[in-house]
């Protein structure tokens, strides 16, 4: 059985047990599953069964399963919860998951959540909520292990044992001064490999890499990729420790940002909901703006063709228009290759604005190689396969070289310039560049054709 | 100072210290930097200085810095190393980094590495090297903490303290039977929160999620995203534990696979080198195959236009060709939106083949909404802005609706069908679909135009 079949078999078993009210067996079945899988299974059940099934779950898994639910299932559940049940789940949720929840829920549900949350949780939530979306502060958690410099390793383990159960990670501990300034980190690995009477300040790492609360979440997540961190401290402008980001949240950001880049490159406004859970109308709204803009700008190409139309008819060269799709596609593809490469390079931190000239120089040479190859291939094809006239084949081959050159140089520079003026490079990629490149290609084509063929 | 300026200032300082031979100060400066940053700095130095600077590095950082180098710097260094130095670095490297190194080095360097490596390291290396590229086995490490079910928590901590220093992670420990069968995992968090005389078998998690050695590395990495793991065990077909994969390697795979998908969607053959380090010739080779193929297939559109050419001239309707770029671009963009969305959804595990019908149904409805909107916008624009004849505007608007419908339905189904027959969905995305959609759009256009305008 593959994974999908296993999933379906399990789902059927759950439905059978549920219909025959064999709840104890159902609980046993759940206790063998990972909370992430339980969440996926429960989301397939009819929504009115959800509260019942949720109450059957082993207590220690329930909050974790809840955190994995999509927001519509979470909303259904909260509405069915008693205040006591809601409080139980909130107590077990990590602060960052609670904040995610609050950001997705309608106002009346948020009010209920805040009403049952204890005071310290409310203030943590409010603190995180104040940071802008897409900032490091918005994805951090405030639950981490604090140590002081004059503690011993033994003290540290005592603190971890006493407070660790509720922390999102215990493997990196944070050493702060009394004014909450971050002065070092120490990992549990270091603690385990040190003598029990060693002082924290002797064994801690004091060159700490941290981010400030307003740092962009994408560049923050890239730090996990660069340094192989499990967690990263978040400080305010006075270097006071306010939270930490764990690697699982960094992975989510990296994945979401890659998806967003891909969507923008294809002219889609990004959403954070999975495709199959997004309504037709919402998908329509993410796609229609760029489609309309690009359709309207593409008519520029039409105007250029119209401008040459009478010249083409009177010189008997209407057949020149039949090469337009090939020329436009090839130039568009060449431009996309460059813009997409450069945009991804910017996203993963490989390319910076200071590389602009070396990128243009590289794309210039690549475009000459590509343009000449394409020109030769199409020249031979037109001459020997399509039996096109020599001069026409020449005009088209020359156009290819110039158009590919333009396309690649524009394709690589626009995303970098966009980044420099704080626009999104991904939006500049593919579709937008195609429109510019299309128009340029046509102008080049008709000019070269007129001078060679004298139309 | 921003990050880039800090980097440049630091680089200048290193060069000054190096030129004035103040090596002790240089070592102090390095000891304050993260190994990942040191590697980036050293790669900017002239290659002949590298062995000297590398010997200045604090011993505990040297191997880690080495692991972060690009392969050309690694090769230079190994050639400058004495056998003793090479052995020292190898002893400190994690097995998976050593395997990465061996895969990149030329044969003579590999022979030297294997000659100085101790016997047990050689057999681990050979074991990992035998797994196919892109498999879970190829990215695993064989250095992890083994526990037995009858050990106590105290025994476990003793073993971690004794053997942990060389392990890539100590935070998840693996419980095996005497025949190496994996029966459970236990985290250091659980160990720390348990009584010291508790038995491992009482506290271990025995529903272990693992992958087999030949599992695809991308779906393996997705498990880290789904379950928030820090490490994942790799077993053979008899459930014997052969290695583990750590989250840092999973992030690398996720990032590389996202980049690969993006490159393939833009018609580029993926490379694993950073753009700025790839030669012009290599970049040319990654781009020219698809450019040529797409250029040749795009001539089909030309043939279709030619076929209608005489009819267009004789009916005085040559101006119809001026709408071709707009129609082709709009259909192409519509198709890309669907194919890119579906391809990314397949990559991150949101969309499976069993969703085919619901995806097509959703895209069908979205395409009707998009097509009708675009048709209305362009109809009004042509009638009132461009003063095009009513019948022509009608023909073009109708074409838009049909072409967008075709584009979206083909765009969403091709990647899913590709996945089903084990082709790469990303290759099916953008450029390839554009070619099909272009040809279809022209056929639809000329047919609708002929019947409405009677040409």
């Amino acid at each position: 059985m593959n994974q999908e079949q296993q999933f379906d078999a399990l789902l059927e078993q759950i439905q059978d047990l549920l219909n025959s009210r064999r709840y104890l067996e159902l609980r046993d079945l759940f206790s063998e599953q990972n909370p992430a899988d339980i969440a996926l299974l429960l989301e397939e059940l009819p929504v009115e069964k959800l509260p019942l099934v949720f109450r059957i779950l082993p207590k220690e898994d329930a909050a974790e399963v809840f955190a994995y639910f999509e927001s519509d299932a979470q909303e259904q559940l909260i509405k069915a919860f008693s205040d006591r049940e809601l409080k139980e789940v909130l107590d077990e949720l990590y602060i960052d998951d609670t904040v995610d929840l609050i950001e997705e829920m309608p106002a009346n549900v948020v009010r209920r959540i805040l009403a049952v949350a204890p005071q310290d949780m409310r203030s943590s939530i409010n603190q995180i909520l104040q940071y802008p979306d897409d900032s490091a502060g918005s994805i951090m958690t405030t639950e981490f292990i604090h140590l002081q410099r004059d503690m011993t390793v033994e003290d540290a383990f005592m603190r971890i044992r006493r407070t660790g159960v509720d922390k999102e990670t215990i493997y990196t501990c944070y050493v702060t001064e009394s004014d909450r300034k971050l002065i070092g980190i120490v990992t549990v690995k270091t603690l385990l490999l040190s003598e029990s009477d060693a002082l924290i300040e002797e064994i801690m790492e004091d060159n700490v890499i941290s981010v400030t609360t307003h740092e962009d979440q994408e560049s923050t997540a890239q730090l996990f990729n660069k340094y192989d961190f499990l967690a990263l401290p978040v400080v305010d402008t006075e270097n006071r420790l306010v939270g930490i980001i764990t690697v699982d949240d960094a992975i989510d950001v990296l994945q979401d940002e890659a998806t967003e880049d891909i969507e923008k490159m294809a002219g889609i406004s990004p959403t954070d909901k999975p495709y199959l859970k997004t309504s037709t109308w919402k998908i329509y709204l993410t796609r229609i703006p760029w489609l309309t803009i690009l359709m309207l700008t593409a008519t520029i190409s039409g105007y250029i063709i119209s401008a040459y139309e009478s010249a083409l008819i009177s010189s008997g060269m209407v057949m020149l228009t039949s090469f337009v799709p090939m020329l436009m596609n090839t130039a568009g593809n060449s431009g996309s290759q460059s813009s997409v490469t450069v945009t991804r390079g910017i996203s993963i931190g490989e390319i910076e604005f200071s590389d602009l000239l070396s990128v243009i120089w590289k794309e210039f040479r690549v475009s000459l190689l590509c343009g000449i190859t394409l020109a030769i291939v199409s020249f031979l094809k037109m001459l020997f396969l399509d039996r096109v006239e020599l001069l026409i084949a020449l005009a088209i081959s020359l156009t290819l070289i110039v158009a590919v050159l333009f396309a690649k140089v524009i394709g690589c520079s626009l995303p970098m310039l966009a980044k420099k003026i704080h626009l999104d490079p991904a939006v500049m990629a593919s579709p937008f560049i195609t429109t510019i490149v299309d128009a340029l290609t046509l102008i080049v084509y008709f000019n070269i054709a007129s001078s060679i063929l004298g139309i």
Side-chain angles (χ1 to χ4, degrees), chain A:
Chain A
M1 283 206 291
N2 65 24
Q3 285 193 324
E4 218 172 312
Q5 288 163 327
Q6 271 176 21
F7 183 89
D8 291 342
L10 213 49
L11 188 61
E12 206 168 308
Q13 210 182 334
I14 291 172
Q15 281 163 329
D16 285 350
L17 290 174
L18 202 56
N19 292 335
S20 47
R21 296 166 191 265
R22 284 141 72 191
Y23 299 142
L24 276 177
E25 283 170 68
L26 196 53
R27 173 190 292 242
D28 287 345
L29 186 150
F30 284 138
S31 71
E32 283 166 23
Q33 299 295 322
N34 184 294
D37 290 323
I38 300 178
L40 288 177
L41 286 162
L42 297 197
E43 286 187 321
E44 299 289 321
L45 296 178
V47 89
E48 66 278 6
K49 300 259 187 195
L50 217 48
L52 167 67
V53 183
F54 193 77
R55 287 172 189 133
I56 296 173
L57 285 179
K59 273 277 167 297
E60 64 274 20
D61 288 344
E64 215 177 326
V65 170
F66 183 85
Y68 279 113
F69 275 137
E70 296 292 331
S71 54
D72 38 355
Q74 289 176 329
E75 191 179 334
Q76 291 298 330
L77 267 176
I78 293 180
K79 285 181 174 159
F81 280 163
S82 70
D83 278 357
R84 196 178 54 78
E85 283 175 317
L86 178 56
K87 190 164 181 314
E88 273 174 14
V89 168
L90 289 180
D91 282 346
E92 293 296 319
L93 278 186
Y94 291 125
I95 282 287
D96 54 346
D97 290 329
T98 312
V99 171
D100 288 349
L101 174 68
I102 285 179
E103 284 175 331
E104 296 290 327
M105 292 298 110
N108 57 335
V109 176
V110 171
R111 271 196 298 276
R112 257 196 81 197
I113 293 174
L114 291 177
V116 302
Q119 173 56 34
D120 59 333
M121 189 191 287
R122 269 209 305 278
S123 58
S124 289
I125 291 171
N126 284 328
Q127 190 197 349
I128 300 176
L129 278 176
Q130 77 182 313
Y131 298 112
D133 273 5
D134 298 340
S135 71
S138 74
I139 54 168
M140 72 183 185
T141 179
T142 52
E143 294 160 318
F144 50 87
I145 305 255
H146 268 287
L147 300 177
Q148 273 94 50
R149 66 189 325 156
D150 54 359
M151 289 169 97
T152 62
V153 168
E154 203 180 340
D155 296 335
F157 276 124
M158 269 172 56
R159 175 164 296 186
I160 294 173
R161 289 203 171 92
R162 213 179 55 238
T163 65
V165 67
D166 288 332
K167 307 304 184 199
E168 194 160 341
T169 183
I170 62 162
Y171 299 135
T172 312
C173 305
Y174 299 87
V175 190
T176 50
E177 298 276 25
S178 53
D179 56 1
R180 289 188 18 238
K181 290 232 163 89
L182 177 66
I183 53 171
I185 58 169
V186 59
T187 64
V188 164
K189 183 171 183 177
T190 306
L191 288 174
L192 279 173
L193 300 177
S194 301
E195 297 300 321
S196 63
D197 57 355
L199 284 178
I200 295 301
E201 63 182 347
E202 292 164 358
I203 59 168
M204 72 184 186
E205 168 67 53
D206 49 11
N207 293 300
V208 186
I209 294 173
S210 62
V211 292
T212 55
T213 47
H214 283 70
E215 181 74 35
D216 174 62
Q217 66 171 357
E218 183 170 10
S219 50
T220 303
Q222 290 295 348
L223 293 178
F224 284 82
N225 192 17
K226 181 174 174 194
Y227 296 111
D228 299 345
F229 288 142
L230 295 183
L232 178 69
V234 183
V235 297
D236 64 14
T237 46
E238 265 105 63
N239 196 37
R240 284 188 301 245
L241 182 63
V242 290
I244 64 166
I245 296 170
T246 49
V247 65
D248 53 313
D249 297 313
I251 293 179
D252 288 346
V253 170
L254 289 174
Q255 288 288 86
D256 288 350
E257 296 284 345
T259 303
E260 268 190 28
D261 275 3
I262 290 173
E263 287 174 338
K264 286 180 199 153
M265 286 175 193
I268 305 171
S269 318
T271 46
D272 45 11
K273 265 201 165 181
Y275 173 79
L276 290 171
K277 307 233 170 196
T278 315
S279 69
T280 303
W281 182 251
K282 283 229 173 93
I283 294 180
Y284 163 74
L285 291 180
T286 64
R287 295 188 185 175
I288 195 69
W290 273 107
L291 276 187
T292 312
I293 294 170
L294 294 171
M295 180 184 76
L296 293 177
T297 52
T299 53
I300 297 171
S301 309
Y303 296 145
I304 299 173
I305 296 182
S306 305
Y308 285 89
E309 197 182 285
S310 50
L312 290 174
I313 296 177
S314 62
S315 63
M317 285 290 179
V318 174
M319 58 103 56
L320 282 183
T321 56
S322 68
F323 297 102
V324 165
M326 183 274 279
L327 289 171
M328 276 178 25
N329 271 349
T330 305
N333 287 333
S334 303
S336 300
Q337 286 184 334
S338 307
S339 63
V340 162
T341 304
V342 169
T343 304
R344 180 66 181 164
I346 295 173
S347 281
I348 58 177
E350 260 173 34
I351 297 178
E352 316 226 335
F353 186 73
S354 56
D355 301 316
L356 181 63
L357 288 181
S358 55
V359 169
I360 291 181
W361 173 229
K362 183 160 264 178
E363 288 297 321
F364 176 78
R365 287 174 296 163
V366 172
S367 69
L368 275 188
L369 285 172
C370 287
I372 292 171
T373 309
L374 296 173
I376 293 174
V377 171
S378 65
F379 187 76
L380 294 177
K381 173 174 179 290
M382 283 184 285
L383 225 54
F384 296 110
L385 217 71
D386 302 335
R387 311 248 168 228
V388 172
E389 278 174 50
L390 179 71
L391 282 183
I392 294 179
L394 199 66
I396 286 160
S397 301
L398 276 178
T399 305
L400 273 174
I401 296 178
V402 179
V404 169
L405 186 91
F406 276 171
K408 286 211 176 286
V409 171
I410 293 171
C412 74
S413 10
L414 273 196
M416 297 184 80
L417 294 172
K419 175 80 184 174
K420 182 69 181 174
I421 55 172
H422 302 288
L423 288 178
D424 190 330
V427 171
M428 284 290 156
S430 238
F432 190 62
I433 285 177
T434 305
T435 307
I436 300 179
V437 164
D438 279 352
L440 270 178
T441 303
L442 285 175
I443 294 174
V444 170
Y445 178 44
F446 288 126
N447 274 304
I448 290 183
S450 338
S451 34
I452 291 187
L453 303 168
I455 51 174

